[in-house]
Amino acid sequence: MGGIVSPGFRGRRGVEGGEVRLPPGQYLTEDFPVLTAGPTLRVPTDTWEFVIVTETGEKHRWDWQQLMALPSERPTVDLHCVTKWSKLHTSWQGVSLDVLLEGVDTAADYAMVHSYGGYTTNLPYEDLLHGQAWIAYKFDGEDLTPEHGGPARLLVPHLYLWKSAKWVRGITLTDEDTPGFWESAGYHDYGDPWREQRYQGD
Amino acid sequence: MARAAVPGGLSPRLVWRAARLVEFRDETPSARTLVFDVPDWPGHLPGQHVDVRLTAEDGYSTERSYSIATPADGTRVALTVQLVQDGEVSPYLTQTLSVGDVIELRGPVGGWFVWRPADTAPVLLIGGGSGVVPLMAMIRARRAAGSKALFRLIYSARTPEDRYYADELRTRARDDFGLDVSYVYTRKTPEGWPLPPRRLGVADVNNGGWPPDFQPACFVCGPTGFVEAVADILIALGHDARRVKTERFGPSGT
Amino acid sequence: MELFSDDFTDGNALAGPLREIFAVDMTTATGRCAGCGDEGPVAGMKVYAHAPGLVARCPSCQQVLMRLVRGPSSAWLDLRGTMSLRIPMPAE
Ligand SMILES: Cc1cc2nc3c(=O)[nH]c(=O)nc-3n(C[C@H](O)[C@H](O)[C@H](O)COP(=O)(O)OP(=O)(O)OC[C@H]3O[C@@H](n4cnc5c(N)ncnc54)[C@H](O)[C@@H]3O)c2cc1C
Ligand SMILES: [Zn+2]
């Protein structure tokens, strides 16, 4: 798609990548762009719930108080958005999926993440485990704003950011991989930024 | 639309075209009209827009839409761009792009938010901020085509200094028979203005517009919040939703 | 659940991306929402563009009517939220 270069045009991008190593095709950004496939949702915490449903239909439910009562972690991670920006060293607070899945009896291979508002995204079950994924409710020490998916979003920073579903509501564990909102419209089922798995077939 | 006929009856695939800036003019301290020369431009209808693509040296590229400000005029295509301070594209277009520079554009596109000079129904144009751009193309096309359709423009601007095309609109309101122009100021009014600065309301649409029984074609354009509010007013006043066409520019602007 | 944001445009903004795929202007086509049954022009859909693709929603019920993703060598168009599209065709 190489177009005519506009001299002096840089886009909304901060400093040059320079020494930092970024996944292929990514550009560094300093701010935190808001991406959304629909209206921003305001989900009140008093009715908020998070539900894990296993492949046998067993349900595990947490309300906001219960989530807050669980041990939390404060990961600092790099974010890579498929729209080509990367933001480094972002700090979060949330509950590891290892904690939430501890008492869940499953042999599922895949997970479908559901959000308030109807958004979905799929990923392998394994990618939720081993300190790779959190239900995050604080960003930079502050409550996560609705624009960025608050009160709580999934955070799976080793995959492109569309997998880190905003306004997360639940996860369904399944034996088969079914494509989610973007995965059924051309985006990659796995989405590893380091292998530049943007689109199906990448 | 004046599109070159292609064997087999298919119109040509829409392609990115090189557009060279031939002149510019500042409409306000923060808005600039850019006139491009686009070889093989197929012509356009007032209200249509183009997509602009900018590409950085390292290959990063991004696209935005801009309404065409003038009626078809050979290979000339004029846009008026509002500077959005923290924006990605508009600062480049309004502050960096120089005469002789080339950008890419694709169009004309959009067959919905258009006025056809053959239409005889009265027209109500309501624009907020940069939303006046496609409406101005309609006003200019009306005169160029010698149309007798009755036009009314209600233009909401922050301050008198923020009005685009101020001199031209003054002259046209005097000379273009059947064109009325009224203003609403949201931040600061001219000296001696009868009303304090405020948002466009029902009374403004009532006074500056057409009654619903006239069945006017309504075109509403501007920042999304503005268009939402005005469209609601028009429907509440009894205008048929099918005759209210909108063009939302997104969250930025006024 | 409260909704607030004005980060959308009209279906008009789909004109270029769709005209890249189709030979006719699709924004004047009339679509019927598979969710609520409402009918309206593609130009009147609500379009969210700050996303990995373009998402068009029903102005009445917010249902996703269209998803358009443009990759370097393919475009994907998902229309499952749209029951039907009536497309005006230029006379022969
Ligand atoms: C059909 C159509 C016609 C248009 N015609 C005109 C015209 O004639 N004249 C004109 O001036 N404009 C027009 N626009 C608006 C134009 O396309 C741009 O939106 C505008 O110029 C701002 O672009 P930008 O790159 O400068 O700003 P952007 O970088 O797009 O930013 C705009 C605003 O949105 C915010 N923002 C940026 N990224 C995000 C994000 N990811 N999530 C949420 N918010 C974000 C920014 O902070 C800023 O306030 C038109 C738009 C449409 C759809
Ligand atoms: Zn609907």
Side-chain angles (χ1 to χ4, degrees):
Chain A
M1 287 200 280
I4 298 171
V5 169
S6 301
F9 174 68
R10 293 202 22 81
R12 194 205 316 279
R13 291 172 296 148
V15 291
E16 292 286 348
E19 264 87 281
V20 281
R21 205 165 76 90
L22 290 177
Q26 293 295 107
Y27 303 90
L28 206 55
T29 180
E30 294 292 316
D31 46 52
F32 194 170
V34 174
L35 269 77
T36 178
T40 304
L41 302 187
R42 194 190 281 285
V43 185
T45 51
D46 49 358
T47 53
W48 183 90
E49 61 168 14
F50 180 73
V51 183
I52 294 177
V53 184
T54 69
E55 69 277 23
T56 60
E58 199 178 281
K59 286 190 176 149
H60 301 259
R61 194 184 300 266
W62 292 264
D63 64 16
W64 191 254
Q65 254 75 48
Q66 290 166 326
L67 183 79
M68 292 300 117
L70 292 172
S72 69
E73 294 178 4
R74 295 165 192 264
T76 294
V77 299
D78 299 339
L79 306 178
H80 307 295
C81 178
V82 74
T83 61
K84 301 205 169 173
W85 54 264
S86 289
K87 182 172 173 63
L88 305 182
H89 316 304
T90 60
S91 50
W92 300 81
Q93 183 179 347
V95 177
S96 167
L97 259 299
D98 292 316
V99 172
L100 293 161
L101 288 164
E102 207 170 46
V104 175
D105 183 21
T106 179
D109 289 324
Y110 296 97
M112 179 70 95
V113 184
H114 299 264
S115 294
Y116 287 93
Y119 183 80
T120 54
T121 185
N122 55 303
L123 70 170
Y125 178 66
E126 271 295 305
D127 286 77
L128 292 173
L129 303 173
H130 320 302
Q132 297 185 94
W134 297 266
I135 300 299
Y137 50 79
K138 276 185 193 275
F139 171 71
D140 250 353
E142 308 279 342
D143 289 348
L144 190 58
T145 59
E147 289 73 27
H148 289 299
R153 77 183 291 170
L154 180 68
L155 180 65
V156 265
H158 68 292
L159 302 177
Y160 280 123
L161 196 58
W162 88 77
K163 300 281 182 183
S164 293
K166 294 158 76 163
W167 311 301
V168 69
R169 170 179 215 163
I171 297 178
T172 307
L173 305 176
T174 55
D175 294 328
E176 255 147 66
D177 201 11
T178 348
F181 186 91
W182 287 120
E183 292 85 358
S184 60
Y187 280 100
H188 201 277
D189 276 318
Y190 188 61
D192 179 352
W194 294 98
R195 285 185 280 165
E196 206 169 359
Q197 293 170 330
R198 297 180 196 275
Y199 303 100
Q200 277 166 35
D202 283 351
Chain B
M1 199 189 306
R3 228 177 240 296
V6 168
L10 280 176
S11 30
R13 186 169 173 265
L14 189 63
V15 290
W16 291 103
R17 301 167 189 271
R20 184 176 301 276
L21 186 70
V22 289
E23 60 175 278
F24 65 83
R25 181 167 60 244
D26 287 331
E27 302 292 351
T28 74
S30 62
R32 178 170 284 188
T33 291
L34 306 162
V35 183
F36 294 96
D37 182 63
V38 192
D40 301 323
W41 183 250
H44 59 269
L45 291 167
Q48 288 195 295
H49 67 268
V50 296
D51 294 338
V52 166
R53 175 165 78 177
L54 299 182
T55 304
E57 256 159 78
D58 57 5
Y60 172 85
S61 84
T62 192
E63 299 164 19
R64 295 290 184 279
S65 299
Y66 292 96
S67 304
I68 306 172
T70 48
D73 172 21
T75 58
R76 292 293 157 102
V77 176
L79 314 177
T80 306
V81 179
Q82 176 67 42
L83 168 68
V84 176
Q85 280 301 347
D86 58 347
E88 184 166 41
V89 168
S90 61
Y92 182 83
L93 293 177
T94 54
Q95 297 174 332
T96 308
L97 192 71
S98 317
V99 169
D101 286 353
V102 175
I103 60 161
E104 287 177 290
L105 58 78
R106 170 172 86 177
V109 289
W112 177 252
F113 194 84
V114 297
W115 177 75
R116 290 181 169 76
D119 294 347
T120 54
V123 172
L124 173 56
L125 309 171
I126 307 184
S130 53
V132 75
V133 176
L135 311 182
M136 194 63 184
M138 297 177 190
I139 289 173
R140 288 166 166 163
R142 172 183 181 272
R143 175 66 180 265
S147 157
K148 300 214 163 46
L150 297 175
F151 266 44
R152 282 186 169 172
L153 168 67
I154 307 175
Y155 184 4
S156 166
R158 282 178 205 232
T159 74
E161 295 74 45
D162 285 306
R163 283 178 301 162
Y164 295 8
Y165 324 122
D167 293 338
E168 184 183 342
L169 277 173
R170 194 174 305 121
T171 317
R172 285 184 182 276
R174 192 188 62 211
D175 301 344
D176 289 14
F177 182 76
L179 168 69
D180 292 329
V181 180
S182 60
Y183 294 94
V184 171
Y185 298 99
T186 57
R187 296 272 173 87
K188 193 187 98 199
T189 67
E191 290 285 313
W193 194 252
L195 295 160
R198 65 187 208 304
R199 294 231 198 152
L200 187 142
V202 178
D204 304 299
V205 180
N206 248 334
N207 300 337
W210 301 108
D213 338 335
F214 280 40
Q215 310 203 332
C218 305
F219 294 91
V220 185
C221 185
T224 295
F226 173 85
V227 173
E228 292 274 277
V230 174
D232 286 351
I233 292 175
L234 286 169
I235 304 303
L237 285 173
H239 290 271
D240 184 340
R242 282 168 303 183
R243 273 192 293 272
V244 178
K245 295 188 174 177
T246 56
E247 178 115 288
R248 292 167 171 86
F249 279 3
S252 54
T254 321
Chain C
M1 190 178 317
E2 213 177 310
L3 312 179
F4 65 97
S5 74
D6 58 359
D7 186 20
F8 65 94
T9 62
D10 297 285
N12 298 333
L14 295 173
L18 286 174
R19 188 59 184 71
E20 197 188 23
I21 303 171
F22 295 100
V24 293
D25 174 31
M26 293 294 286
T27 61
T28 55
T30 309
R32 184 185 286 279
C33 173
C36 70
D38 262 22
E39 230 182 28
V42 170
M45 294 176 179
K46 294 175 79 171
V47 172
Y48 292 84
H50 287 301
L54 295 162
V55 181
R57 290 177 179 264
C58 173
S60 309
C61 77
Q62 298 287 351
Q63 149 127 336
V64 176
L65 298 175
M66 203 185 276
R67 261 168 279 210
L68 176 57
V69 170
R70 181 67 161 95
S73 54
S74 303
W76 285 266
L77 182 62
D78 183 318
L79 281 167
R80 80 183 81 167
T82 304
M83 200 146 40
S84 63
L85 276 175
R86 181 161 56 84
I87 302 154
M89 298 299 288
E92 284 287 306

